[in-house]
Amino acid sequence: TVTGMSPEETQDFLQDLMSPAEYREMHTRFAIVKRLYNGMPQREVAKALGVGVATVSRGAHALDKKGGFYRVLRKFFIPA
């Protein structure tokens, strides 16, 4: 969830902020980075989730940068 918001409030917030397609795609993007973070090779991630290798590569790039996305992912979504 977004800090200080209930799961329902977070869902409402994100659904208002994004198009339906973007909201659905967000789930896939998190699944990609979680699998990459846990060591699954990019081609296996692409095959398992039915997405293109380029989509998986974007997720890998976000993890490699160790920027804002990575910090939020580590703090809120992937346990240490």
Side-chain angles (χ1 to χ4, degrees), residues 1 5-17 23:
T1 65
M5 295 173 73
S6 72
E8 294 80 18
E9 289 171 324
T10 301
Q11 181 177 345
D12 290 345
F13 171 77
L14 293 173
Q15 285 179 330
D16 286 348
L17 184 66
Y23 185 79

Side-chain angles (χ1 to χ4, degrees), residues 38 64 80:
N38 288 319
D64 287 342

